Amino acid sequence: MNYTLNQLQIYLKVVQTLSITKASEELNLTQPAVSIQIKNFQAQFEIPLIEIIGKKIYVTDFGMEIAKSAEGIIDQVYAINFKTMAFKDQLLGRLKVSIVSTGKYVLPFFLTEFLNTNPGVEISIDVTNREKVIHNLENNEVDFSLISTDVNSPSFEYIDILENDLYLIGNAETAKRNPTFSLREFNNELPLIFRENGSGTRKIMETYLKKQGIHILKKIELVSNEAVKQAIMAGLGYSIMPMIGIKNELKSGQLVIIPRSGLPISTTWKLIWHKEKKPSPVAKAFMDYIIAKKDEIRKNHFNK
């Protein structure tokens, strides 16, 4: 066997995501690079690890056993690195965070200085929707989660870190049509574009529409804020989106805010954790860092 640590990491990520595309995004690699490494890794085994049927990836029983072994090997490598750092009297360990998709515009600014100050800390970030984020917390799979909707469970504690405002958005041309989303104008209007079920943004959008008495007859459903943004810029329709992910497009004129009663909707980004989970030294240090630095980070990066 001549497999490399890099191949083990790539294979494990493909098993976790069941997607070459998602694995490449999370690993910051190209899809061809991931595919080549998976092919080279598979070539070292006579038994199939994964099967592709249609466009879906299925992991074989043997493949699952190899994934478990790969995870154990990677954990041991981390342990070696952490022990090395311990002899240097530095904070060490792994921080696992689950965030909703728009959180990718927020979390990096709250991580940079902490990671630069503590080079022995490894960070693992799962970017998903609100439903999966809460699932990760409830099943003790992460140290923290980042969401922008209310926390309704008494099992969680949280720190408010940043305000989040959502507006009705169109492109320069569709905004001129001043949509009403009424049944009377149904044939003349473009659809509203929704995130998938389980998304916090979708939940906020549906609550707003219900309060306004708007019953949507035409809609498009997409699985990421980036996809929604591209669809709006292409003129496919409208959506309610958080300001934090569209600032550049608003400045360039590719997207336009459409004034509406009841908007913007204001929520708050929250770093949340399970109150019964005993934080690791790294998790406790990060929590203390956020409490001490959140106002400074907001002022330097978001109040512009």
Side-chain angles (χ1 to χ4, degrees):
M1 293 290 179
N2 295 311
Y3 51 78
T4 65
L5 179 61
N6 185 47
Q7 287 175 339
L8 291 176
Q9 292 172 319
I10 291 173
Y11 173 68
L12 184 58
K13 184 59 67 174
V14 169
V15 170
Q16 291 170 342
T17 62
L18 295 178
S19 168
I20 296 294
T21 300
K22 290 181 180 179
S24 64
E25 289 174 352
E26 294 187 21
L27 293 168
N28 292 317
L29 296 171
T30 65
Q31 292 184 38
V34 171
S35 298
I36 289 170
Q37 290 301 324
I38 291 296
K39 181 179 180 180
N40 292 341
F41 187 60
Q42 173 65 79
Q44 300 180 70
F45 301 92
E46 295 181 1
I47 304 172
L49 301 172
I50 61 175
E51 296 175 335
I52 300 177
I53 301 176
K55 293 185 178 181
K56 291 186 177 181
I57 291 178
Y58 297 88
V59 184
T60 66
D61 290 341
F62 178 67
M64 289 302 301
E65 291 299 318
I66 296 300
K68 291 177 184 177
S69 297
E71 186 171 20
I73 292 169
I74 292 168
D75 285 342
Q76 287 300 312
V77 172
Y78 281 127
I80 292 171
N81 292 337
F82 296 156
K83 288 176 182 178
T84 301
M85 299 303 295
F87 276 94
K88 297 179 180 180
D89 196 27
Q90 295 185 17
L91 183 68
L92 54 99
R94 197 179 334 180
L95 192 67
K96 294 183 178 181
V97 186
S98 179
I99 68 175
V100 295
S101 60
T102 319
K104 63 179 175 286
Y105 300 110
V106 178
L107 186 62
F109 295 99
F110 290 87
L111 280 172
T112 303
E113 183 181 344
F114 179 76
L115 294 178
N116 288 341
T117 305
N118 302 286
V121 173
E122 299 278 350
I123 180 74
S124 173
I125 302 174
D126 180 25
V127 182
T128 181
N129 62 34
R130 184 185 188 279
E131 190 174 273
K132 180 70 181 342
V133 162
I134 298 300
H135 173 82
N136 288 341
L137 275 180
E138 291 174 339
N139 287 274
N140 196 32
E141 296 173 4
V142 294
D143 298 298
F144 299 103
S145 289
L146 184 69
I147 63 173
S148 62
T149 51
D150 290 337
V151 181
N152 299 318
S153 172
S155 300
F156 302 142
E157 294 183 347
Y158 62 88
I159 303 169
D160 289 338
I161 63 172
L162 186 68
E163 291 184 355
N164 183 46
D165 294 330
L166 297 93
Y167 295 83
L168 179 65
I169 304 296
N171 72 11
E173 291 301 318
T174 59
K176 295 176 184 177
R177 300 171 67 165
N178 194 28
T180 62
F181 308 114
S182 68
L183 179 60
R184 183 178 60 188
E185 300 293 333
F186 173 71
N187 291 326
N188 299 320
E189 291 195 349
L190 296 171
L192 272 171
I193 303 171
F194 287 74
R195 286 286 309 278
E196 78 284 2
N197 282 319
S199 160
T201 301
R202 179 181 181 128
K203 183 178 179 181
I204 291 170
M205 188 168 168
E206 289 178 334
T207 300
Y208 168 77
L209 294 173
K210 185 177 181 180
K211 287 181 178 179
Q212 296 295 315
I214 298 173
H215 302 284
I216 298 303
L217 299 179
K218 292 197 294 186
K219 68 180 182 180
I220 297 173
E221 184 175 301
L222 299 173
V223 296
S224 74
N225 271 36
E226 288 300 316
V228 172
K229 184 164 62 176
Q230 292 298 322
I232 297 171
M233 288 192 293
L236 286 180
Y238 311 91
S239 190
I240 293 175
M241 299 194 71
M243 171 69 76
I244 197 165
I246 59 175
K247 287 183 177 180
N248 291 335
E249 288 77 14
L250 289 173
K251 288 180 180 178
S252 68
Q254 293 174 289
L255 295 178
V256 176
I257 292 174
I258 304 172
R260 274 295 181 275
S261 173
L263 295 175
I265 301 166
S266 294
T267 62
T268 305
W269 286 102
K270 297 174 173 65
L271 188 74
I272 63 176
W273 63 93
H274 202 291
K275 63 170 56 177
E276 294 182 5
K277 181 178 178 64
K278 183 178 179 181
S280 67
V282 170
K284 181 62 169 60
F286 183 61
M287 192 185 305
D288 292 341
Y289 165 80
I290 291 295
I291 292 171
K293 294 284 189 175
K294 62 177 184 174
D295 291 340
E296 179 183 336
I297 295 170
R298 275 200 303 256
K299 179 180 178 182
N300 290 339
H301 298 287
F302 297 99
N303 292 342
K304 297 179 180 179

